[in-house]
Amino acid sequence: MLLLRSLVLGTLTIVGAANAGAAPALQAFRLSDVELLDSPFKQAMERNADYLLSLDADRLLHNTRKYAGLQPKGELYGGWESQGIAGHTLGHYLTALSQQYAATGDERFRKRIDYIIAEMAEAQRAYGDGYVGALPPLELATLRGFKEGKVETKGAFNFKDGGWVPWYTQHKVLAGVRDAWALAGSAQAKEVTLRLANWVDDVTASLTAEQLQTMLQVEHGGMNEVLLDIYELTHDQRYLTTARRFEHREILDPLLAGRDELPGKHANTQIPKIIGAARNYEVADKPEGRTIAENFWKKVVRDHSWAIGGNSDGEFFFSPNTASEHLSAATAETCNTYNMLRLTDRLFGWQPQVEYADFEERALYNHILASQEPKQGMFTYFMSLEPGHFKTYSTPHDSFWCCVGSGMENHTKYSGAIYFHTADALYVNQFIPSRLRWKERGLDLEQRTNYPYENRSVFTVTQAPTEAVSLHIRVPAWAENNANFILNGQPLKVAAQPGTYAEIKREWKRGDDLTVTIPMSVRTEAVHGAPDLIAFVYGPVVLAGDLGAVAAGENIPYAKEQGANLELEGVAVPTLTGDAKWVAANLRRLPGNTVAFKLNTTTGDITLRPFHELDYERYTVYWKVTPGKASSD
Ligand SMILES: [Zn+2]
């Protein structure tokens, strides 16, 4: 059967035929179709944009020029940019610039992209074999050595003789140039991308299946995924063949069989492999990819995740029933949630389930928004869940951790998380102030809300389509009761149970006003396998106990390296006594236009605030509850 399908990536639309995979049931909108209106998300995006523009492209290009034998034009940045993983930031930076440009059309970002791509093209010519990047000689020699069949690993992050995650780093570069091509429309980026992808083919072509699986034991980022993207963009079988060399069976096979063998494995090494499997289902019609992705998602979200949506301790998955032993300062690497959200968007496209959108909401507020430092737009690496501990942020020029790179991308694409569509139905997943222009249907609407500080959101149709459109509005599973709706001042009867989409189909008119109210209350969520260790959650936001400002220090709040802060102990956190549900139901909300609650404890009152609002304070997300007379009376 000839299957016509269209891939929409930013400003570029590609229509392809044949050899296509499973077309998703729902599509995301182009970033340019959705404009953020004022909210903490828009503020985060603007803060991040300022940081992106404050970085010096010539400094980020330092090693790209140097190792290609060209004179660098800027001084090398510090942190991970001056180590073996150098160059990963430039790749993330290109993706972030491309998404920011796609979302806003701001030419300053396009100019920056064009400059970097021209510099990279020059370096690629200087290398002469199609390679471009910033890998130091050792790492580059490791990849080139594959051509001679030299594949010897040393653990999960190095090849023998020391090459540190070279494919991981190179994946960021390849993804960056792909996005400059597919999202920002740079023709030169297309040339750079394809030459680099050809080089990947070249250095891996002669490896045996066994050698490839050995190579894949070392963290390799999203190599599988990005090559599948390039296959989708070009329909050139060469890239599908190359992509298939990056399928790590040791990880995929147990998931295909429904087994959780994740404990003990490095979390962020695995998530991109699963996104690759998902793309394999989508672009190359490989059904196992869907099973693998769905099994992985369920296991990670239901069994391996903290209340904030993040996972892992010290970067590793652990046995879910031991979670109570893992509330450390090194929980919830931020990259992991960045990647889980990318996976979630794929799964939602296949099957619009509230559980996916609920997870997205949880992770967006409580991890992604919470990961940005408000003064300079800096980034967390770990999100400490050690009771009484605090957040540690990057420095502007001397950290460049993995989570700084993925973090730069996070805040450029909130507009892609709010609405999805089929041919004639609109899905509203997030209650984030925004303006949608659905050109294909002629429907424009504005969403205005102060959610979750208030429990309602108002949608106004500013341009009406000629035909009826179904609006599917998410009623979160956590809602205290059914959502209710008012259309143009009149109550509207709609089935709107928690955990479903409320469907409203009508011929919309310009000026139609639809208000949805979602009843919110405080509830508790226990650590997996530990019912006496609970977090308080209000609507979409995790509440954390504000334990007072953390004293500033050499590494607080900004650290070149965070190691020393992880060693610092948390301050004492009182134990709660009584029944947790009773305590939650009897918290007193403080007056004012904020979400804040007073919690009585044996050692005094503590204010509970949304976790994403705590930036420079010691806090606790989790509380130990012991039976006894309630402490909050
Ligand atoms: Zn990271």
Side-chain angles (χ1 to χ4, degrees), residues 268 333-335 381 402-403 406:
N268 198 45
E333 180 184 352
T334 307
C335 283
Y381 186 124
C402 50
C403 300
S406 57

Side-chain angles (χ1 to χ4, degrees), residues 265-288:
K265 294 206 165 65
H266 185 256
N268 198 45
T269 297
Q270 317 313 329
I271 308 169
K273 296 174 191 172
I274 313 309
I275 300 173
R279 295 292 287 148
N280 223 332
Y281 165 66
E282 289 182 344
V283 310
D285 217 1
K286 199 165 177 183
E288 68 158 39

Side-chain angles (χ1 to χ4, degrees), residues 480-501:
E480 192 184 11
N481 287 305
N482 292 0
N484 70 68
F485 290 84
I486 294 174
L487 180 66
N488 299 328
Q490 300 296 319
L492 191 67
K493 261 191 99 125
V494 187
Q497 292 85 3
T500 65
Y501 280 93

Side-chain angles (χ1 to χ4, degrees), residues 209 212-216 220 223-225 227-228 240-253 273 276-277 279-281 284 286 288-289 292:
L212 287 167
Q213 292 303 313
T214 303
M215 175 184 85
L216 297 177
H220 51 275
M223 284 301 297
N224 183 230
E225 175 199 355
L227 288 161
L228 288 165
L240 180 60
T241 305
T242 311
R244 295 230 152 119
R245 297 184 196 133
F246 289 88
E247 287 175 20
H248 193 194
R249 299 315 311 184
E250 185 185 327
I251 299 302
L252 303 183
D253 288 339
K273 296 174 191 172
R279 295 292 287 148
N280 223 332
Y281 165 66
K286 199 165 177 183
E288 68 158 39
I292 290 166

